[in-house]
Amino acid sequence: MAQSMKIAIVDDEQDMRQSISQWLALSGYDTETFPSAEDALKALGAEYPGIVISDIKMPGMDGMQFLKKLMGADSSLPVIMITGHGDVPMAVEAMRVGAYDFLEKPFNPDRMTQLAKKATNARRLTLDARALRRELSDGDQIMNKLIGASPVMARLKEDILDLGQADGHVLIDGETGTGKTLVAHALHAVGSRAGKKFVLVSCGAFEEDALAKRLFGPMNPEDSQLPAVEEARGGTLVLEDIESLSDALQAKLLNVINEQGTPAETRIVAISNMQEQDRTCEDALRADLFYRLAALRITVPPLRQRGEDILTLFTRLSEQFSEEYGCDAPKVTAQEAAQLLQAPWPGNVRQLINLAERAVLQSRRSEGTIASLLMSDHEEMQPVVTTEGKPLKEYVEAFERMLIDNTMRRHRGSISGVMEELCLPRRTLNEKMAKYSLQRADYL
């Protein structure tokens, strides 16, 4: 859910504070007012979820001093300054110090609303980016994003924890949509480089000259970023679509790796998306580079090998989308659960995310079924509940576990609520929860 943005209004004149607050409140903003910069500073911090509108001339701490204090705490906080008529030089100085923009009295309220909209949007993007960076640098949080308890996922998590502590370069491969970039983030987050730079470059997104410049430089004087190999120094450099590198760029990358020595100052995580049966990443790269990058290797399992994880993921995703769209999550029938488990999933988790969103939107309109969406994605799939090598009993158990898990989640661990909804006696529910390793404490 998008974070609600506030607007802090700072002005020593009560009438001005109230009129600005009332106008912005009518436009849907959550406002708070302060009669002085000193009072405002007590409430505004580096993570303030909004923007500031401040008069530039105030008794005590004036607007310029206030602005400098705010910029010192958080240089990306949007501050809109209100100046008197003819104070343009002061407004220009405020912009130099870091003000987002300024309004000259008497100002047009619509202009103020437009500025507030732009500034709050910018602030939301900044805070979202910070939250994402924190999340992606938190080993526990990012490992929790690797949802699933299937044997292949348990092995993947073990590999990430083991390889995260190592110094060698890593090659991550696997089918499209399996979450290879998330695994790269996890490797960085659980290792000794967690607090250092994480730089990701999609090699397939650049023409060769632009990619050479992005990776190795030289950069133009006006460019705001360093070449990736410099930017990531001491941290982790992730190269998506590594097979896209030309022979010349492969040679340059190999030189960088050789110059680093052992252990490497910068860890390189290469991600390969090659799927052809007759051509692999090893075929696409020169042998000496391949074996340096593949010193350690992780293959991310496809969704169709993850068993009941498919139902767990679908439940979590549909709950997230139902919250976003303000409606109930669709109910999954036993037939649909079986079809989810036996679908081929060529797009893997990315495809499942799309399906969950479509299922929620479809449910909101009270039309269609999950099965119909599956059939449209996999026209060759037959609406049956068994598949070769997998007995019906496994599908029934998977559905039963999903049903109890969903109901426990909905009732927040209330055993009596679950017993009533599922018409199960206490002993039977306890037995089934023990059978499926479901713990009441996980739902409280």
Side-chain angles (χ1 to χ4, degrees):
M1 301 292 287
Q3 184 174 14
S4 175
M5 291 286 106
K6 292 183 177 181
I7 299 181
I9 301 158
V10 187
D11 199 306
D12 60 303
E13 296 181 16
Q14 184 177 1
D15 290 346
M16 180 63 75
R17 290 197 307 272
Q18 288 181 343
S19 63
I20 293 175
S21 177
Q22 288 170 3
W23 180 264
L24 291 173
L26 288 172
S27 300
Y29 290 102
D30 180 10
T31 65
E32 53 185 341
T33 61
F34 302 93
S36 70
E38 291 86 351
D39 287 335
L41 284 173
K42 295 173 185 176
L44 306 178
E47 293 297 316
Y48 181 67
I51 67 168
V52 178
I53 297 177
S54 174
D55 194 6
I56 207 163
K57 287 187 175 180
M58 295 183 290
M61 184 185 294
D62 66 18
M64 289 299 294
Q65 293 172 307
F66 179 46
L67 175 63
K68 289 174 182 177
K69 291 272 189 184
L70 291 175
M71 292 299 98
D74 186 349
S75 61
S76 67
L77 175 64
V79 181
I80 299 170
M81 306 300 295
I82 298 174
T83 68
H85 180 66
D87 285 338
V88 173
M90 191 176 292
V92 172
E93 174 64 12
M95 296 287 286
R96 188 191 66 78
V97 171
Y100 183 81
D101 212 324
F102 69 93
L103 289 165
E104 187 179 3
K105 295 177 183 176
F107 53 82
N108 184 332
D110 290 328
R111 162 75 174 150
M112 179 178 62
T113 304
Q114 291 170 0
L115 267 182
K117 181 179 180 181
K118 286 175 58 180
T120 52
N121 286 340
R123 184 60 170 170
R124 182 179 289 109
L125 290 174
T126 297
L127 295 179
D128 287 349
R130 284 182 187 169
L132 179 61
R133 281 197 296 272
R134 284 195 297 269
E135 188 174 301
L136 294 178
S137 64
D138 185 322
D140 291 336
Q141 281 200 49
I142 200 163
M143 288 298 281
N144 288 338
K145 282 182 169 288
L146 296 166
I147 296 170
S150 61
V152 292
M153 283 304 289
R155 173 64 185 272
L156 175 64
K157 292 173 186 178
E158 289 173 3
D159 287 345
I160 290 170
L161 291 171
D162 288 344
L163 271 58
Q165 300 300 316
D167 287 316
H169 306 305
V170 183
L171 175 66
I172 302 174
D173 58 12
E175 295 179 11
T176 184
T178 49
K180 297 184 289 295
T181 302
L182 180 62
V183 170
H185 277 289
L187 277 172
H188 177 78
V190 301
S192 59
R193 293 177 169 84
K196 298 180 180 176
K197 276 281 191 176
F198 178 95
V199 178
L200 187 147
V201 178
S202 178
C203 300
F206 295 85
E207 297 292 338
E208 182 170 0
D209 289 346
L211 180 58
K213 180 181 174 184
R214 176 68 186 100
L215 289 175
F216 308 108
M219 310 301 282
N220 298 325
E222 64 272 15
D223 290 330
S224 60
Q225 61 184 168
L226 294 168
V229 293
E230 292 296 328
E231 187 183 356
R233 187 174 295 278
T236 302
L237 174 60
V238 179
L239 300 176
E240 289 184 328
D241 301 307
I242 187 68
E243 62 274 2
S244 301
L245 290 181
S246 65
D247 291 343
L249 294 185
Q250 288 185 40
K252 281 191 173 186
L253 180 60
L254 184 61
N255 285 338
V256 169
I257 292 173
N258 289 335
E259 287 169 2
Q260 288 195 87
T262 305
E265 181 182 12
T266 303
R267 178 180 232 183
I268 296 175
V269 177
I271 296 177
S272 173
N273 288 303
M274 297 196 73
Q275 297 302 313
E276 295 87 352
Q277 294 297 316
D278 57 344
R279 185 168 165 77
T280 66
C281 180
E282 185 174 355
D283 298 324
L285 300 179
R286 50 188 290 169
D288 44 4
L289 177 61
F290 174 80
Y291 288 112
R292 295 300 294 275
L293 293 175
L296 303 170
R297 193 166 184 174
I298 290 179
T299 298
V300 185
L303 190 58
R304 62 183 171 276
Q305 291 180 5
R306 293 176 55 181
E308 291 179 31
D309 288 353
I310 296 170
L311 299 182
T312 303
L313 275 165
F314 182 82
T315 298
R316 300 279 180 87
L317 291 166
S318 59
E319 285 175 350
Q320 290 170 12
F321 283 122
S322 65
E323 182 181 355
E324 181 177 337
Y325 290 113
C327 60
D328 293 333
K331 286 184 166 49
V332 181
T333 67
Q335 175 87 357
E336 288 168 336
Q339 289 179 315
L340 284 166
L341 288 169
Q342 71 170 349
W345 301 112
N348 291 289
V349 178
R350 190 178 297 120
Q351 182 184 359
L352 182 62
I353 292 170
N354 294 338
L355 181 91
E357 183 172 18
R358 286 157 56 203
V360 168
L361 290 171
Q362 184 175 257
S363 175
R364 186 172 67 167
R365 297 191 302 267
S366 300
E367 62 181 42
T369 62
I370 295 169
S372 65
L373 292 174
L374 275 168
M375 293 299 286
S376 67
D377 276 357
H378 312 291
E379 293 180 1
E380 76 285 356
M381 200 178 89
Q382 298 301 313
V384 296
V385 295
T386 59
T387 189
E388 184 179 351
K390 201 162 191 174
L392 177 63
K393 179 175 178 287
E394 289 189 28
Y395 288 119
V396 172
E397 290 179 345
F399 174 70
E400 193 171 62
R401 185 188 188 283
M402 179 197 69
L403 195 60
I404 296 173
D405 177 56
N406 288 354
T407 311
M408 287 290 292
R409 194 184 307 279
R410 193 159 50 249
H411 288 279
R412 300 187 178 184
S414 169
I415 296 295
S416 58
V418 176
M419 288 166 54
E420 182 179 352
E421 181 171 335
L422 298 182
C423 300
L424 286 176
R426 179 65 177 260
R427 180 177 177 181
T428 304
L429 178 59
N430 287 344
E431 289 173 350
K432 290 187 179 296
M433 288 182 67
K435 176 181 179 181
Y436 301 126
S437 301
L438 298 174
Q439 302 290 329
R440 178 174 176 265
D442 294 335
Y443 301 95
L444 297 176

